[in-house]
């Protein structure tokens, strides 16, 4: 086997191993709100995401409660708990869960975006802009979460001017 073939074979093996690691450990890029790395695929987390996608807020809450019971440091699960509760109109619980996510990971892009949107729903532009500023710091070259919250802030200002 010549050197070129050997190099290509080694490259293919390394790429395959990296891909398998991402699949098994959930490190691939998913939604913009996922900022922490899971150590294993969690069936309840997957069920919670499916419930979110289907707008089954109570199903999502049930699933993500199971996730945080097993892993109380899962910022993504707390973020989704906040999101589902916000969709149900329970802002008090939503803020509690978003703040839990942000205590675990202050740079969680999804939690910063979603809590900013929740503040806007409550008419609190100042706190929404604090989280927009935080996203501006986190997203050096821009990110979807920053763009979405920036648009929501602009819309809020336009409607309330």
């Amino acid at each position: 086997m010549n050197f070129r073939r050997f190099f290509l074979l080694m490259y293919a093996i390394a790429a395959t191993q990296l891909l398998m690691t991402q699949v098994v450990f959930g490190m691939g890029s998913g939604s913009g709100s996922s900022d922490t790395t899971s150590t294993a695929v969690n069936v309840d987390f997957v069920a919670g995401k499916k419930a979110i996608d289907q707008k089954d807020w109570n199903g999502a809450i049930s699933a993500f409660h199971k996730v945080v019971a097993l892993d109380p440091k899962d910022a993504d699960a707390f973020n989704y708990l906040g999101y589902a509760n916000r969709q149900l109109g329970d802002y008090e619980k939503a803020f509690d869960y978003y703040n839990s996510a942000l205590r675990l990971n202050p740079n969680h892009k999804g939690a910063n975006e979603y809590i900013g949107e929740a503040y806007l729903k409550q008419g609190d532009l100042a706190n929404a802009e604090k989280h927009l500023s935080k996203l501006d710091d986190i997203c050096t070259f821009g990110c979807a979460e920053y763009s979405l919250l920036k648009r929501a802030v602009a819309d809020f200002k336009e409607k309330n001017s």
Side-chain angles (χ1 to χ4, degrees):
M1 177 182 303
N2 69 27
F3 180 75
R4 184 167 194 250
R5 283 187 183 172
F6 177 77
F7 177 77
L8 290 174
L9 178 62
M10 290 294 107
Y11 181 80
I13 290 171
T16 301
Q17 287 176 332
L18 178 61
L19 178 61
M20 292 306 297
T21 300
Q22 289 178 336
V23 169
V24 171
F25 292 104
M27 296 185 322
S29 61
S31 79
S33 56
S34 181
D35 292 342
T36 59
T37 302
S38 300
T39 55
V41 175
N42 182 313
V43 174
D44 293 313
F45 193 95
V46 172
K49 288 273 290 181
K50 183 177 180 182
I52 291 281
D53 292 342
Q54 295 174 343
K55 299 182 186 326
D56 174 10
W57 311 124
N58 289 314
I61 289 167
S62 176
F64 286 117
H65 273 295
K66 292 174 187 175
V67 174
V68 298
L70 290 173
D71 183 3
K73 293 185 179 183
D74 191 324
D76 291 338
F78 280 109
N79 180 48
Y80 284 123
L81 279 166
Y83 181 78
N85 278 281
R86 176 168 58 108
Q87 296 305 314
L88 289 173
D90 192 338
Y91 287 91
E92 185 176 335
K93 284 184 183 176
F95 283 117
D96 286 345
Y97 289 124
Y98 289 141
N99 283 316
S100 292
L102 291 169
R103 273 191 298 280
L104 292 167
N105 180 1
N107 292 333
H108 193 287
K109 292 181 281 189
N112 276 288
E113 175 200 349
Y114 288 161
I115 197 170
E117 291 172 356
Y119 279 125
L120 291 174
K121 292 284 187 184
Q122 297 293 292
D124 187 346
L125 177 61
N127 274 317
E129 287 181 323
K130 286 180 187 176
H131 288 278
L132 180 62
S133 177
K134 179 69 174 178
L135 283 168
D136 192 26
D137 291 341
I138 297 167
C139 303
T140 306
F141 298 105
C143 62
E145 294 82 3
Y146 173 79
S147 298
L148 290 168
L149 184 55
K150 184 176 181 177
R151 168 48 62 206
V153 166
D155 290 345
F156 180 88
K157 287 179 177 179
E158 184 178 310
K159 291 176 185 172
N160 293 289
S161 59

